[in-house]
């Protein structure tokens, strides 16, 4: 078996007396898209933030390729270059145009010269379909466009893996599709992705594996079909049913295969009814 | 009336030279205050505990005591510790140290308003903390601070008038001399007042221009920041 890109061993995060998650194990192989689902307050976002060291775990190890990034003395700024992060609230640099948002890391972190950085930044914007918005400021872009710029900004660093923290949760429903489309393309292009989302349509279509987390534990993980049709735990079934009802319709409303999706998006409907 | 005209003719060049000194004091005080104030603001937001405590203490002391007391301590007090400074240098330091305390508070508020999330975004692409402060936080914080910070240059310009008490030859000192020599205090001080007012208007216009010039569409005070 090839070396996984990301290996998480017995990861634990505690705030005060509050255990966010305990002894999480997870591996992500090259080219995989893993979707993490679960109720809010389950530690999914904190898990992502631990992975790119924006917060520090209280126990366990994280390995990126063959390096333990949680080891003492690891160069955290270097680690973060290799791990792209997309936030729920986009977090673009508000004082910079779309192009300069993507360019900043290239010139300041990768020390590319201005011309090369600009060309690369422009390419990345093109990849997310925003080359015509290159000179707009974040305040002049829609939420969906801002999130796509944020994806381009992370991609520009040529990361080994991309982390998405509920990338569509802050978007108006009609803007979710364009962001998911970019993510879908990215997944198909072979990018390794770890996605926290409630978008079940996306999870079913794109995920190689779905991880169901609750109360700081991984309850169950497996292929989309396994989790939707043959969940091992009743709790998984309940959650998937609830979340599909809540979010599934929204995405299907403007999708071309709405009819088909509506049917297949409701796992175990009969049993629950 | 002819007395006023004579006064005007006789002291015009002196008043202009004095106004020049006043502007010089303002800009040097403002510049020193900005550099030091920015350091204090960064120390208060990002510094370790002891540095935060130092910065807070500094700000409280310099905002809590009269500038005139600070000026006299520097000019008359330091020589007893073996450090004698010229009148101008004492004035620059007093104004700069005092202004730093006020500017630090304007800047700190703006830096905190930009918030931790922009820091997180910067760090997520591999920028160091310091790079994020420099390229992400400060460009936004300074723009955000500009409207309220604009009080400081205007206030400082008028505050510089206290330095005539250690015989720095600023506009106020020139007006006082003209008043004494000509026995026309009304004319002398009115002339000084008008010149101060003109300078304040000029500085105000400059600041408004700077605000327009650095404005970013969709990013202003009161707009939503996450």
């Amino acid at each position: 078996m090839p070396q996984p890109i990301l290996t998480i061993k017995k990861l634990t995060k505690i705030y005060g007396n509050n255990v966010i998650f305990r002894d999480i194990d997870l591996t992500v192989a090259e080219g995989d898209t893993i979707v993490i689902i679960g109720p809010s307050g389950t530690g999914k976002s904190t898990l992502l933030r631990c992975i790119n060291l924006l917060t520090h775990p209280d126990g366990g190890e994280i390995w990126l390729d063959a390096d333990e990034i949680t080891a003492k003395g690891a160069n955290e700024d270097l680690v973060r270059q290799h791990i792209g992060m997309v936030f729920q609230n986009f977090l673009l640099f508000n004082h910079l145009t779309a192009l300069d948002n993507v360019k900043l890391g290239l010139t300041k972190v990768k020390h590319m010269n201005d011309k090369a950085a600009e060309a690369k930044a422009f390419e990345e914007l093109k990849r997310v379909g925003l080359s015509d918005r290159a000179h707009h400021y974040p305040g002049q872009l829609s939420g969906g466009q801002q999130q796509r710029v944020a994806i381009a900004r992370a991609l520009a660093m040529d990361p080994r893996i991309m982390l998405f923290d509920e990338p569509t949760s802050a978007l108006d429903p009609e803007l979710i599709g364009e962001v998911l489309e970019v993510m879908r393309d990215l997944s198909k292009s072979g990018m390794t992705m770890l996605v926290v989302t409630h978008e079940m349509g996306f999870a079913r279509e794109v995920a190689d594996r779905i991880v169901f987390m609750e109360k700081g534990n991984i309850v169950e993980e497996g292929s989309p079909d396994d989790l939707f049709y043959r969940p091992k735990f009743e709790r998984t079934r309940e959650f998937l049913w609830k979340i599909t009802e809540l979010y599934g319709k929204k995405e299907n409303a403007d999708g071309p295969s709405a009819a088909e999706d509506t049917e297949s998006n409701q796992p175990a409907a009969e049993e629950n009814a | 009336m002819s007395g006023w005209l004579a006064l005007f003719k006789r002291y015009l060049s002196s008043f202009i030279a004095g106004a020049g000194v006043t502007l010089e004091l303002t800009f040097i005080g403002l510049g020193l205050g900005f550099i030091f104030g920015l350091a204090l603001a960064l120390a208060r937001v990002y510094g370790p505990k002891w540095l935060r405590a130092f910065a807070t203490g500094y700000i409280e002391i310099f905002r809590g005591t009269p500038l005139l007391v600070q000026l006299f301590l520097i000019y008359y007090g330091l020589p007893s510790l073996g450090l004698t400074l010229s009148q101008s240098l004492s004035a620059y330091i007093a104004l700069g140290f005092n202004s730093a305390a006020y500017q630090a508070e304007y800047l700190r508020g703006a830096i905190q308003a930009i918030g931790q999330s922009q820091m997180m975004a910067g760090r997520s692409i591999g920028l160091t903390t310091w790079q994020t402060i420099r390229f992400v936080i400060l460009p936004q914080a300074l723009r955000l601070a500009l409207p309220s910070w604009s009080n400081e240059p205007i206030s400082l310009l008028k505050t510089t008038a206290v330095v005539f008490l250690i015989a720095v030859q600023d506009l106020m000192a020139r007006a006082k001399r003209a008043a004494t020599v000509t026995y026309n205090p009304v004319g002398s001080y009115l002339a000084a007042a008008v010149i101060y007012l003109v300078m304040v208007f000029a500085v105000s216009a400059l600041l408004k221009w700077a605000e327009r010039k650095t404005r970013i569409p969709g990013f202003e005070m009161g707009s939503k920041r996450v």
Side-chain angles (χ1 to χ4, degrees), chain A residues 49 52 54 77 80-81 83 85 87 89 91-96 104-105 108-109 137 139-140 153-154 157, chain B residues 117-129 131 135-137 139-140 143 216-219 225-226:
Chain A
R49 281 171 198 197
N52 76 346
L54 285 172
D77 296 317
R80 288 196 201 93
Q81 284 181 46
I83 301 178
M85 179 90 172
F87 300 93
N89 293 320
L91 304 188
L92 291 182
F93 308 133
N94 295 310
H95 63 303
L96 298 177
L104 188 68
K108 303 303 176 200
V109 178
Y137 287 96
Q140 301 170 307
R153 176 177 71 182
M157 303 304 287
Chain B
S117 56
Q118 286 284 311
M119 174 61 81
M120 202 159 65
R123 310 243 23 214
S124 80
I125 57 168
L127 292 171
T128 62
T129 302
Q131 280 180 318
F135 299 116
V136 177
I137 308 281
Q140 296 182 58
R143 283 182 172 87
I216 279 171
F219 177 75
R225 280 177 303 279
V226 282

Side-chain angles (χ1 to χ4, degrees), chain A residues 238-251:
Chain A
E238 267 174 52
F239 179 79
L240 277 171
W241 165 238
K242 225 188 264 169
I243 208 83
T244 305
E245 194 180 48
L246 269 174
Y247 289 84
K249 283 172 191 157
K250 191 168 64 184
E251 210 215 325

Side-chain angles (χ1 to χ4, degrees), chain B:
Chain B
M1 205 62 215
S2 66
W4 284 46
L5 201 67
L7 171 100
F8 191 67
K9 271 188 183 152
R10 189 166 154 203
Y11 284 96
L12 180 64
S13 62
S14 166
F15 273 56
I16 287 174
V21 172
T22 291
L23 281 178
E24 200 176 289
L25 286 163
T26 305
F27 285 113
I28 291 176
L30 196 67
L32 274 178
F34 178 76
I35 294 165
F36 199 25
L38 184 58
L40 286 167
L42 290 173
R44 271 198 82 166
V45 180
Y46 299 111
K49 210 170 174 184
W50 63 269
L51 197 57
R52 286 206 304 269
F54 167 81
T56 307
Y58 178 98
I59 291 166
E60 292 306 323
I61 288 168
F62 274 82
R63 292 201 313 172
T65 54
L67 171 63
L68 196 54
V69 173
Q70 296 160 18
L71 181 69
F72 279 12
L73 272 173
I74 290 168
Y75 184 64
Y76 296 115
L78 284 184
S80 67
L81 302 174
L83 186 66
T84 305
L85 302 174
S86 73
Q87 290 137 339
S88 307
L89 194 57
S90 300
Y92 294 151
I93 289 175
L95 290 168
F97 277 28
N98 184 267
S99 180
Y102 288 93
Q103 294 192 51
E105 286 299 272
Y106 290 123
L107 296 170
R108 178 180 67 96
I111 290 169
Q112 281 172 337
I114 296 302
Q116 271 313 101
S117 56
Q118 286 284 311
M119 174 61 81
M120 202 159 65
R123 310 243 23 214
S124 80
I125 57 168
L127 292 171
T128 62
T129 302
W130 179 241
Q131 280 180 318
T132 308
I133 289 172
R134 190 168 151 210
F135 299 116
V136 177
I137 308 281
L138 285 184
Q140 296 182 58
L142 294 182
R143 283 182 172 87
L144 208 60
L146 192 52
S148 52
W149 179 85
S150 294
N151 290 318
E152 183 58 18
I154 290 164
S155 150
L156 189 64
L157 192 144
K158 294 174 293 174
T159 305
T160 57
V162 302
V163 301
F164 87 97
L165 286 164
I166 60 166
V168 173
Q169 291 302 303
D170 72 331
L171 180 56
M172 184 64 193
R174 312 280 179 148
K176 187 166 192 314
R177 207 175 64 201
T180 315
V181 174
T182 63
Y183 299 108
N184 186 351
V186 176
S188 300
Y189 291 128
L190 265 183
V194 168
I195 297 172
Y196 274 115
L197 199 60
V198 167
M199 290 194 291
V200 164
F201 279 143
V203 169
S204 248
L206 194 71
L207 287 163
K208 287 235 168 60
W209 173 83
E211 228 175 280
R212 264 202 319 277
K213 200 76 187 160
T214 57
R215 198 180 150 269
I216 279 171
F219 177 75
E220 45 250 334
M221 205 57 183
S223 69
K224 195 182 112 208
R225 280 177 303 279
V226 282

Side-chain angles (χ1 to χ4, degrees), chain A:
Chain A
M1 191 180 150
Q3 167 92 41
I5 284 191
L6 185 74
T7 311
I8 295 171
K9 295 178 188 166
K10 298 225 164 290
L11 202 69
T12 299
K13 177 71 190 177
I14 299 165
Y15 283 123
N17 291 326
N18 201 357
V19 178
I20 307 299
F21 49 76
R22 192 187 285 284
D23 292 339
I24 296 279
D25 290 302
L26 187 69
T27 56
V28 183
E30 178 136 32
D32 270 2
T33 297
I34 312 288
V35 169
I36 303 178
I37 58 173
S40 44
T42 295
K44 299 167 302 199
S45 296
T46 309
L47 178 63
L48 291 195
R49 281 171 198 197
C50 279
I51 294 172
N52 76 346
L53 305 178
L54 285 172
T55 73
H56 292 97
D58 296 294
E61 298 171 5
I62 302 171
W63 292 69
L64 185 66
D65 293 313
D67 302 311
E68 193 200 334
I69 62 176
T70 40
K72 273 205 171 66
N75 183 343
E76 298 189 359
D77 296 317
L78 195 68
V79 167
R80 288 196 201 93
Q81 284 181 46
H82 300 299
I83 301 178
M85 179 90 172
V86 175
F87 300 93
Q88 184 176 345
N89 293 320
F90 333 134
L91 304 188
L92 291 182
F93 308 133
N94 295 310
H95 63 303
L96 298 177
T97 61
L99 188 70
D100 286 338
N101 261 278
V102 182
K103 219 171 103 178
L104 188 68
L106 298 174
T107 53
K108 303 303 176 200
V109 178
K110 293 203 163 199
H111 304 292
M112 284 168 74
N113 71 47
D114 196 71
K115 219 174 149 189
E118 183 141 341
K120 167 108 173 132
F122 200 77
E123 269 314 299
E124 297 298 345
L125 283 179
K126 215 164 128 187
R127 190 164 161 188
V128 299
L130 285 174
S131 45
D132 60 330
R133 291 284 183 277
H135 299 290
H136 285 57
Y137 287 96
Q140 301 170 307
L141 298 172
S142 75
Q145 291 170 336
Q146 288 190 56
Q147 192 60 297
R148 281 147 71 200
V149 173
I151 293 173
R153 176 177 71 182
L155 284 176
M157 303 304 287
D158 293 323
R160 293 285 290 147
I161 181 171
M162 286 279 284
L163 311 178
F164 293 83
D165 185 7
E166 301 201 24
T168 57
S169 297
L171 292 173
D172 291 335
E174 73 269 23
L175 301 176
I176 290 175
E178 60 188 77
V179 172
L180 290 182
E181 194 183 313
V182 166
M183 291 170 62
R184 212 172 272 139
D185 291 345
L186 199 58
S187 172
K188 281 181 193 143
S189 76
M191 173 59 73
T192 309
M193 294 162 57
L194 191 54
V195 185
V196 172
T197 186
H198 295 305
E199 295 295 335
M200 289 304 119
F202 174 83
R204 291 209 42 194
E205 186 191 343
V206 178
D208 296 290
R209 227 161 71 233
I210 296 179
V211 175
F212 174 47
M213 258 180 93
E214 188 175 47
K215 294 186 188 132
N217 294 301
I218 291 180
V219 177
E220 185 168 355
E221 61 173 294
S223 72
D225 280 352
D226 282 345
L227 259 74
F228 275 89
Y229 296 118
R230 296 175 289 276
K232 288 194 206 97
F233 296 93
E234 182 56 29
R235 187 61 198 121
T236 312
R237 184 194 304 275
E238 267 174 52
F239 179 79
L240 277 171
W241 165 238
K242 225 188 264 169
I243 208 83
T244 305
E245 194 180 48
L246 269 174
Y247 289 84
K249 283 172 191 157
K250 191 168 64 184
E251 210 215 325
N252 293 332
D254 50 17
S257 55
E260 181 203 326
D261 271 20
T262 315
E263 216 168 56
S264 54
N265 258 357
Q266 298 177 354
E270 288 83 4
E271 286 106 307
N272 268 286

